[in-house]
Amino acid sequence: MSKQRIAVGLCGLGTVGSGVVTLFERHGAALATRCGCPVELTHIGARRDRPDCDTSGYNVSRDIFAVVADPEIDIIVELIGGTTTAYDLVAQALEAGKHVVTANKALMASRGNELAALAEQKGVALRFEAAVAGGIPVIKTLRESLAANAIDSIAGIINGTGNFILTEMAKAGRAFEDVLSEAQALGYAEADPTFDIDGTDAAHKLVILATLAFGIPLDIDGPFTEGINSVAPEDLHFAEELGYVIKHLGIAQRVGGQVDLRVHPTLIPRDKQIATVDGVLNTVMVRSDAVGELVLVGPGAGALPTASAVCGDVTDIAQHVARGTTDARPVLGLPTQALQSLPRVSRDDVQSEWYLRMVVSDQPGAMADITRLLGNEGISIESLIQRPPKSGAKEVSVVIITDRASGSGIQRAVDAIEQLEALAGSITMLRVEAFEGS
Ligand code: HSE
């Protein structure tokens, strides 16, 4: 049965929630035209006021579950974050036969399999475009537009806060804490920015992308995860001197019958396209058999870009609801029972070039020992910088880019080098990706 009006309930009035209110006010009339009937934000669940967001025209409940219980509401937008209350809220909404739009990557990565199965069972839509890469329409691209492709790999910058911090530290020489505070003020960072910094946020997003790309169940424990907190300002400077930039990458690729999933800071030659994506911009590069290489770039965080993705999903669902049809497309691209696990590639086996930075006593034979220990593992050196000691100092910084080596091979060499008497402290190890062809 077609509808005269579609009612949307918004749960959560943080940065993205207030962006959704703004976009409904700005584009509500156009959304109604697209859908063939009014699409109205009628009920907002917010545990506290947001002074910069005028909600005087809306029914506002302190109890967010009151929005789910509201019989008028057709579509619930979940923007409260977290995985406990948010799970209960989304599950209750789906159980009640309401469609759900969420921006919650932690929820989708951790409990998306159950929620997708529930949505399919209830015949309702569960959409999550805003969960990955903010304003970039990468979920629809993978789930729908590339359906007739076998996807080989995805690589991208998928945390806006991390990219903003690395860019500002490298290009403006700013301090980490100073840039993080600005990212928080601009609404890029999570409420608790730990997940932006330690790589967890990017790992959640990579899990979602890998499911859509490879037809595997969501597996929150799948990726090897390292954050931008393993990058020191001197790494950014040495990388530049060697012709690279450091980006925090998410990589998902098929390797034989296995999948390699990892997020970590990576040196990339500065003339590569992905190396030029700076600030809060995100990028996702997809390689597949029919299209070849596809690169999407856009704002990865912030109120309006993320709210744009939320409102796109709302419109998509509303177009079905308005016509009385059901949007029964599988939530994760394939029906949940058709998703099939694939074994993970061990990070010990993944080959790459490596960046090593160490502090060494300025004494004869130290460099020969280091190159010998790398040579023992069959690893040769591609470039090397040795910074002379500051006057009076007895230690030098040594930076090495190696040829390709496996994770286990380089780790054995690094463990042996760290035993040398000449070594002061531990060695910083970062992978180098050449991105041939991009
Ligand atoms: N904190 C996230 C980021 C927000 O910086 O990418 C968008 O998911």
Side-chain angles (χ1 to χ4, degrees):
M1 203 176 64
S2 62
K3 298 261 300 183
Q4 301 305 306
R5 183 183 84 134
I6 293 162
V8 179
L10 169 63
C11 298
L13 197 58
T15 301
V16 181
S18 64
V20 169
V21 173
T22 301
L23 290 189
F24 263 95
E25 283 172 4
R26 204 184 275 178
H27 298 301
L31 297 188
T33 308
R34 282 178 190 274
C35 296
C37 73
V39 183
E40 290 173 1
L41 184 57
T42 60
H43 197 161
I44 296 175
R47 288 177 276 200
R48 61 194 72 84
D49 282 332
R50 191 177 165 101
D52 59 347
C53 184
D54 179 9
T55 54
S56 52
Y58 303 97
N59 175 16
V60 179
S61 296
R62 287 283 173 250
D63 174 11
I64 50 174
F65 285 88
V67 183
V68 178
D70 183 341
E72 253 209 329
I73 299 293
D74 301 289
I75 303 171
I76 292 286
V77 176
E78 182 279 304
L79 298 176
I80 62 171
T83 55
T84 312
T85 308
Y87 176 84
D88 293 341
L89 187 99
V90 171
Q92 273 188 32
L94 297 173
E95 284 283 1
K98 295 181 193 294
H99 308 281
V100 174
V101 174
T102 178
N104 193 330
K105 52 259 169 170
L107 177 66
M108 286 307 296
S110 60
R111 306 193 70 181
N113 294 317
E114 299 161 63
L115 292 171
L118 179 58
E120 284 168 22
Q121 184 199 331
K122 295 289 173 183
V124 291
L126 169 60
R127 295 281 173 259
F128 50 96
E129 184 65 66
V132 181
I136 302 177
V138 65
I139 302 295
K140 282 188 173 65
T141 300
L142 290 172
R143 195 184 53 215
E144 291 149 36
S145 314
L146 297 181
N149 284 253
I151 294 176
D152 298 319
S153 68
I154 295 179
I157 298 168
I158 48 178
N159 181 272
T161 303
N163 201 36
F164 182 68
I165 291 174
L166 288 180
T167 304
E168 289 293 309
M169 285 174 70
K171 297 209 162 160
R174 293 174 64 192
F176 179 95
E177 290 300 338
D178 169 40
V179 192
L180 173 59
S181 300
E182 190 183 346
Q184 289 174 297
L186 290 167
Y188 300 159
E190 299 300 298
D192 170 1
T194 311
F195 280 9
D196 294 306
I197 306 307
D198 71 6
T200 306
D201 180 80
H204 289 157
K205 293 165 179 169
L206 189 74
V207 164
I208 295 169
L209 295 179
T211 285
L212 296 169
F214 305 136
I216 57 180
L218 295 155
D219 173 12
I220 193 158
D221 299 320
F224 160 70
T225 304
E226 203 177 273
I228 59 167
N229 42 358
S230 55
V231 179
E234 52 265 47
D235 296 315
L236 296 162
H237 302 143
F238 281 124
E240 188 184 0
E241 204 171 314
L242 289 159
Y244 295 87
V245 294
I246 299 180
K247 293 292 183 189
H248 190 255
L249 293 189
I251 296 174
Q253 59 186 343
R254 284 183 192 274
V255 182
Q258 302 183 310
V259 285
D260 172 26
L261 299 181
R262 50 200 162 93
V263 299
H264 50 71
T266 311
L267 276 82
I268 304 169
R270 69 166 154 252
D271 57 352
K272 299 293 174 183
Q273 190 178 11
I274 199 167
T276 65
V277 175
D278 284 339
V280 74
L281 291 181
N282 279 192
T283 183
V284 181
M285 184 174 79
V286 184
R287 287 179 172 164
S288 63
D289 63 343
V291 170
E293 188 172 292
L294 174 69
V295 181
L296 305 170
V297 182
L304 292 187
T306 314
S308 160
V310 169
C311 292
D313 277 346
V314 168
T315 308
D316 200 351
I317 296 169
Q319 286 175 329
H320 284 273
V321 176
R323 285 161 182 76
T325 57
T326 307
D327 179 6
R329 284 173 293 178
V331 173
L332 300 172
L334 298 178
T336 45
Q337 71 272 17
L339 300 168
Q340 286 191 331
S341 292
L342 290 171
R344 298 285 176 276
V345 177
S346 160
R347 71 188 170 113
D348 290 347
D349 296 336
V350 178
Q351 298 257 339
S352 66
E353 295 170 22
W354 291 87
Y355 162 98
L356 306 177
R357 177 174 58 80
M358 60 199 86
V359 177
V360 181
S361 297
D362 188 18
Q363 62 189 49
M367 197 61 81
D369 286 338
I370 292 166
T371 53
R372 175 178 52 78
L373 291 170
L374 286 166
N376 286 352
E377 294 295 336
I379 302 169
S380 51
I381 292 174
E382 198 176 277
S383 7
L384 187 146
I385 300 177
Q386 180 178 324
R387 269 289 147 268
K390 294 193 186 92
S391 58
K394 292 201 164 47
E395 290 169 338
V396 293
S397 286
V398 174
V399 172
I400 294 172
I401 303 278
T402 72
D403 275 340
R404 286 175 73 77
S406 66
S408 54
I410 197 77
Q411 192 62 60
R412 280 193 300 273
V414 162
D415 290 345
I417 294 168
E418 284 179 343
Q419 299 306 312
L420 292 173
E421 211 184 295
L423 252 281
S426 54
I427 297 175
T428 299
M429 303 166 61
L430 298 172
R431 286 187 186 267
V432 180
E433 293 280 348
F435 286 109
E436 298 302 342
S438 303

